[in-house]
Amino acid sequence: MGRAVSVAACALNQWALDFEGNAERILRSISIAKSKGARYRLGPELEICGYGCADHYYESDTLLHSFQVLAKLLESPATQDIICDVGMPLLHRNVRYNCRVIFLNKKILLIRPKISLANAGNYRELRWFTPWNKARHVEEYLLPRVIQEVTGQDTVPFGDAVLATKDTCLGTEICEELWAPNSPHIEMGLDGVEIFTNSSGSHHVLRKAHTRVDLVNSATAKNGGIYILSNQKGCDGDRLYYDGCAMISMNGETVAQGSQFSLDDVEVLVATLDLEDVRSYRAEISSRNLAASKVNPFPRIKVNFTLSCSDDLAVPFCVPIQWRHHSPEEEICKL
Ligand SMILES: *[C@@H]1O[C@H](CO)[C@@H](O)[C@H](O)[C@H]1NC(C)=O
Ligand SMILES: *[C@@H]1O[C@H](CO)[C@@H](O)[C@H](O)[C@H]1NC(C)=O
């Protein structure tokens, strides 16, 4: 009992500053995730306001409307009984951060600011955001009234922490952090995190899907674990095209592949996986366990919830699949 976890990764066609449309697509993805039995739903980076808001990130209005959408999501019956992980910009002590807001049953569990910002090529995140530089440190975030009225909370934890549910432990990476040489998933994995989540705003570049799939699979090859990647899809008002490719991977192998060039606004990938597979994979890697015994622990936020359901064995588990890549010619033709 308590070993089959069902998790959802989404690819959404969000638009910069389309708060109403973005909220509708987020809610739709949460409803689909729930209807497919998921207990945790991950959406793309900055999905509430859209990734490509550019200098609109400087406007207080963008932050205010993001909070209004968050209030709407918190209030919605669709978000009951599923851990929702949504992306939005936030101001903490007058500094703008690119954040994940993770909530359950009308309560915010954690706000996780992004640690490694993407600033190469087309990315200019450092222009608008500041990276969170306090590793394994959590502060109190004072909620605005529009959220306090819904959650009944004054402050919530803000910083670099992981979530401990009753059956597993879940840690967040945001986009660029995966590509960084010292990705958070390495130390989080050593510290007992079994599920890694990565919400991405990763645009299409010819053959980039190969690198993405390799990075995600290798993230759990040495250390074991479940890796969930969500992404923006379509255009969002800026000059880039995002190519979706949500994926879920376990112990170094892909178990669920989302589409790369589909025209659906909302795509939800759900996988049911056995936590015991992660534990037994790790048990056999003695070097990992030696390293794990020395790791400096992450702050844990306790969550009174399980990602598994009790009638476990009735659900079929996902098995590894081979990622089907498009040829370069197909990629160009489908774009
Ligand atoms: C998440 O995935 C993206 C690829 O889309 C990658 O650039 C990024 O580094 C990943 N982040 C983490 C924390 O693994
Ligand atoms: C945890 O949740 C269950 C059911 O939702 C509730 O009965 C129990 O009191 C909760 N435990 C704590 C410590 O809050």
Side-chain angles (χ1 to χ4, degrees):
M1 206 183 99
R3 31 189 282 194
V5 292
S6 291
V7 292
C10 307
L12 304 182
N13 182 15
Q14 302 300 69
W15 288 87
L17 303 177
D18 175 18
F19 292 97
E20 238 168 78
N22 292 348
E24 183 275 320
R25 283 178 289 272
I26 293 171
L27 280 176
R28 186 144 42 108
S29 72
I30 294 171
S31 301
I32 297 173
K34 254 170 73 171
S35 71
K36 292 185 175 179
R39 308 268 287 168
Y40 168 85
R41 172 270 184 204
L42 178 73
E45 191 170 5
L46 294 166
E47 59 192 311
I48 289 188
C49 56
Y51 184 80
C53 291
D55 280 4
H56 291 291
Y57 284 121
Y58 290 136
E59 296 167 8
S60 300
D61 227 35
T62 305
L63 307 180
L64 170 68
H65 293 318
S66 298
F67 268 125
Q68 289 167 334
V69 170
L70 180 65
K72 196 152 120 185
L73 299 177
L74 283 160
E75 274 173 342
S76 165
T79 62
Q80 292 303 293
D81 297 323
I82 178 166
I83 297 182
C84 297
D85 186 332
V86 299
M88 64 181 270
L90 269 171
L91 197 63
H92 177 55
R93 303 186 183 165
N94 292 354
V95 180
R96 277 173 179 69
Y97 295 99
N98 169 349
C99 295
R100 303 305 302 170
V101 177
I102 309 171
F103 63 88
L104 169 69
N105 293 340
K106 290 202 171 83
K107 299 276 181 211
I108 294 175
L109 303 170
L110 170 69
I111 301 178
R112 162 62 160 80
K114 187 168 176 176
I115 294 170
S116 301
L117 296 183
N119 221 46
N122 287 311
Y123 290 106
R124 300 179 76 191
E125 292 179 6
L126 279 172
R127 179 177 167 91
W128 307 296
F129 299 109
T130 304
W132 181 252
N133 278 317
K134 302 178 198 168
R136 282 165 245 215
H137 176 77
V138 175
E139 294 178 358
E140 282 195 321
Y141 182 83
L142 191 62
L143 292 172
R145 271 169 301 174
V146 54
I147 303 296
Q148 285 189 15
E149 281 162 15
V150 183
T151 65
Q153 300 164 293
D154 302 331
T155 62
V156 292
F158 182 100
D160 184 19
V162 299
L163 296 182
T165 59
K166 288 204 278 192
D167 49 352
T168 184
C169 187
L170 207 125
T172 305
E173 278 195 316
I174 309 177
C175 192
E176 184 66 12
E177 293 168 18
L178 170 71
W179 303 70
N182 57 346
S183 303
H185 70 257
I186 300 171
E187 294 253 305
M188 288 196 296
L190 292 175
D191 191 29
V193 171
E194 294 179 324
I195 303 178
F196 310 102
T197 67
N198 177 349
S199 50
S200 213
S202 180
H203 54 261
H204 176 259
V205 174
L206 203 61
R207 314 316 280 146
K208 188 180 180 186
H210 281 80
T211 321
R212 224 186 260 143
V213 171
D214 287 350
L215 274 175
V216 168
N217 285 341
S218 63
T220 57
K222 281 203 272 187
N223 207 348
I226 295 171
Y227 203 101
I228 314 170
L229 176 86
S230 65
N231 196 14
Q232 155 78 7
K233 68 182 339 194
C235 301
D236 72 345
D238 200 355
R239 288 164 296 168
L240 302 171
Y241 171 79
Y242 300 84
D243 57 344
C245 281
M247 67 179 284
I248 301 175
S249 150
M250 180 166 77
N251 298 342
E253 292 181 290
T254 307
V255 292
Q257 169 179 8
S259 65
Q260 190 173 10
F261 299 105
S262 96
L263 295 175
D264 296 333
D265 280 348
V266 175
E267 188 182 344
V268 182
L269 207 59
V270 173
T272 301
L273 297 161
D274 190 347
L275 286 173
E276 286 301 318
D277 286 346
V278 172
R279 293 165 191 160
S280 58
Y281 188 88
R282 287 183 172 173
E284 290 173 18
I285 314 174
S286 144
S287 59
R288 178 217 166 256
N289 297 336
L290 281 175
S293 67
K294 294 180 224 152
V295 82
N296 184 10
F298 282 78
R300 279 170 155 72
I301 311 286
K302 285 193 200 148
V303 186
N304 183 13
F305 191 67
T306 59
L307 291 191
S308 48
C309 41
S310 44
D311 55 345
D312 262 344
L313 300 171
V315 222
F317 291 116
C318 293
V319 294
I321 54 169
Q322 192 62 42
W323 189 277
R324 296 172 308 281
H325 282 291
H326 292 297
S327 68
E329 295 79 7
E330 276 176 335
E331 280 197 44
I332 291 166
C333 151
K334 282 174 179 284
L335 252 180

